[in-house]
Amino acid sequence: EVQLVESGGGLVQAGGSLTLSCATSGFTFGGYAIGWFRQAPGKEREGVSCISISPGVTYYADSVKGRFTISSANAKVYLQMDSLKPEDTAFYYCAATTLNRGHCSGYGFVAHVMDYWGKGTPVTVSS
Protein backbone atom coordinates (compact mmCIF):
# COMPACT_ATOMS: atom_id res chain seq x y z
CA GLU A 1 0.00 0.00 0.00
CA VAL A 2 1.36 3.39 -1.02
CA GLN A 3 1.45 5.96 1.74
CA LEU A 4 2.56 9.58 1.76
CA VAL A 5 2.80 11.35 5.12
CA GLU A 6 3.63 15.05 5.34
CA SER A 7 5.15 16.90 8.26
CA GLY A 8 6.89 20.18 8.97
CA GLY A 9 4.15 22.73 8.41
CA GLY A 10 3.51 25.56 10.83
CA LEU A 11 3.36 29.28 11.42
CA VAL A 12 6.25 31.48 10.32
CA GLN A 13 6.81 35.19 9.77
CA ALA A 14 7.32 36.59 6.30
CA GLY A 15 10.91 36.17 5.23
CA GLY A 16 11.32 33.05 7.32
CA SER A 17 11.91 29.43 6.37
CA LEU A 18 10.25 26.05 6.79
CA THR A 19 11.14 22.56 5.60
CA LEU A 20 8.36 20.17 4.70
CA SER A 21 8.95 16.42 4.68
CA CYS A 22 7.03 13.68 2.92
CA ALA A 23 7.68 10.15 4.15
CA THR A 24 6.84 7.61 1.47
CA SER A 25 6.25 3.89 1.60
CA GLY A 26 4.89 1.19 -0.67
CA PHE A 27 6.78 2.14 -3.83
CA THR A 28 10.26 2.94 -5.13
CA PHE A 29 11.11 6.37 -6.47
CA GLY A 30 12.34 5.22 -9.83
CA GLY A 31 9.56 5.65 -12.38
CA TYR A 32 7.60 8.17 -10.32
CA ALA A 33 7.20 11.92 -10.24
CA ILE A 34 6.83 13.04 -6.63
CA GLY A 35 6.28 16.49 -5.30
CA TRP A 36 4.22 19.13 -3.63
CA PHE A 37 0.93 20.83 -4.33
CA ARG A 38 -0.67 23.57 -2.33
CA GLN A 39 -4.18 24.87 -1.93
CA ALA A 40 -5.15 28.16 -0.38
CA PRO A 41 -8.72 28.89 0.75
CA GLY A 42 -10.94 29.57 -2.24
CA LYS A 43 -8.24 28.66 -4.75
CA GLU A 44 -7.47 25.66 -6.90
CA ARG A 45 -4.80 23.17 -5.96
CA GLU A 46 -1.58 24.09 -7.74
CA GLY A 47 1.64 22.21 -8.40
CA VAL A 48 4.52 23.79 -6.51
CA SER A 49 7.52 21.54 -7.08
CA CYS A 50 8.30 18.07 -8.35
CA ILE A 51 11.23 15.67 -8.48
CA SER A 52 11.85 12.50 -10.43
CA ILE A 53 14.90 10.33 -9.85
CA SER A 54 15.10 8.49 -13.13
CA PRO A 55 15.30 10.60 -15.18
CA GLY A 56 16.70 13.22 -12.82
CA VAL A 57 14.41 16.20 -13.22
CA THR A 58 13.11 18.92 -10.92
CA TYR A 59 10.35 21.42 -11.53
CA TYR A 60 9.33 24.61 -9.74
CA ALA A 61 6.33 26.81 -10.28
CA ASP A 62 7.31 30.35 -11.25
CA SER A 63 5.87 31.67 -8.00
CA VAL A 64 8.41 29.72 -5.91
CA LYS A 65 11.41 29.51 -8.22
CA GLY A 66 14.56 30.69 -6.46
CA ARG A 67 12.95 30.43 -3.01
CA PHE A 68 11.98 26.75 -2.68
CA THR A 69 14.23 23.71 -3.11
CA ILE A 70 13.05 20.13 -3.52
CA SER A 71 15.20 17.13 -2.66
CA SER A 72 14.88 13.46 -1.81
CA ALA A 73 16.74 10.97 0.35
CA ASN A 74 15.92 7.72 2.11
CA ALA A 75 12.36 7.45 0.78
CA LYS A 76 11.56 11.01 1.83
CA VAL A 77 10.92 14.11 -0.25
CA TYR A 78 11.76 17.49 1.25
CA LEU A 79 10.67 20.99 0.34
CA GLN A 80 12.95 23.67 1.74
CA MET A 81 10.99 26.93 1.68
CA ASP A 82 12.96 30.15 2.15
CA SER A 83 11.99 33.81 1.93
CA LEU A 84 8.40 32.88 2.65
CA LYS A 85 5.65 35.33 1.74
CA PRO A 86 2.08 35.65 3.04
CA GLU A 87 0.86 34.42 -0.35
CA ASP A 88 2.61 31.10 0.32
CA THR A 89 0.00 30.42 3.01
CA ALA A 90 -1.84 27.22 2.06
CA PHE A 91 -2.33 23.57 2.83
CA TYR A 92 0.62 21.69 1.30
CA TYR A 93 0.13 18.18 -0.05
CA CYS A 94 2.64 15.55 -1.09
CA ALA A 95 1.62 13.65 -4.22
CA ALA A 96 3.03 11.04 -6.57
CA THR A 97 2.27 9.58 -9.96
CA THR A 98 3.91 7.17 -12.34
CA LEU A 99 5.91 8.69 -15.19
CA ASN A 100 3.53 7.21 -17.76
CA ARG A 101 0.78 9.47 -16.36
CA GLY A 102 2.64 12.62 -15.39
CA HIS A 103 6.06 14.19 -15.21
CA CYS A 104 7.92 17.07 -13.63
CA SER A 105 6.94 20.05 -15.71
CA GLY A 106 4.36 22.79 -15.68
CA TYR A 107 1.91 20.80 -17.81
CA GLY A 108 2.85 17.33 -16.52
CA PHE A 109 2.63 17.93 -12.78
CA VAL A 110 -1.06 18.60 -12.36
CA ALA A 111 -3.53 17.43 -9.76
CA HIS A 112 -5.77 15.29 -11.94
CA VAL A 113 -2.96 12.91 -13.00
CA MET A 114 -1.64 12.24 -9.51
CA ASP A 115 -2.23 8.70 -8.27
CA TYR A 116 -1.40 9.13 -4.61
CA TRP A 117 -1.91 11.93 -2.08
CA GLY A 118 -0.97 12.65 1.47
CA LYS A 119 -3.36 14.31 3.89
CA GLY A 120 -1.48 17.59 3.84
CA THR A 121 0.19 19.94 6.28
CA PRO A 122 -0.72 23.60 6.86
CA VAL A 123 1.66 26.47 6.28
CA THR A 124 0.79 29.96 7.51
CA VAL A 125 3.02 32.93 6.75
CA SER A 126 2.24 36.05 8.73
CA SER A 127 3.05 39.53 7.48
Side-chain angles (χ1 to χ4, degrees):
E1 180 186 6
V2 173
Q3 288 191 322
L4 307 173
V5 180
E6 304 95 334
S7 62
L11 172 64
V12 64
Q13 288 189 330
S17 298
L18 279 175
T19 301
L20 304 184
S21 297
C22 173
T24 73
S25 60
F27 69 103
T28 54
F29 278 22
Y32 281 80
I34 309 165
W36 296 88
F37 286 77
R38 67 185 180 186
Q39 188 165 21
K43 294 190 176 181
E44 291 187 357
R45 194 168 294 192
E46 63 168 341
V48 174
S49 183
C50 173
I51 187 167
S52 67
I53 305 303
S54 180
V57 177
T58 57
Y59 159 77
Y60 298 94
D62 287 344
S63 57
V64 306
K65 203 170 292 184
R67 299 188 297 121
F68 290 11
T69 304
I70 194 168
S71 62
S72 67
N74 300 323
K76 288 187 176 182
V77 178
Y78 302 95
L79 187 68
Q80 173 69 39
M81 306 187 295
D82 298 317
S83 302
L84 282 162
K85 305 176 181 179
E87 51 264 45
D88 294 318
T89 295
F91 227 81
Y92 283 71
Y93 298 89
C94 184
T97 188
T98 56
L99 290 176
N100 62 358
R101 281 176 50 79
H103 53 273
C104 291
S105 71
Y107 61 91
F109 191 63
V110 291
H112 71 269
V113 304
M114 307 312 289
D115 293 314
Y116 307 105
W117 291 91
K119 293 183 178 180
T121 186
V123 172
T124 303
V125 184
S126 63
S127 57

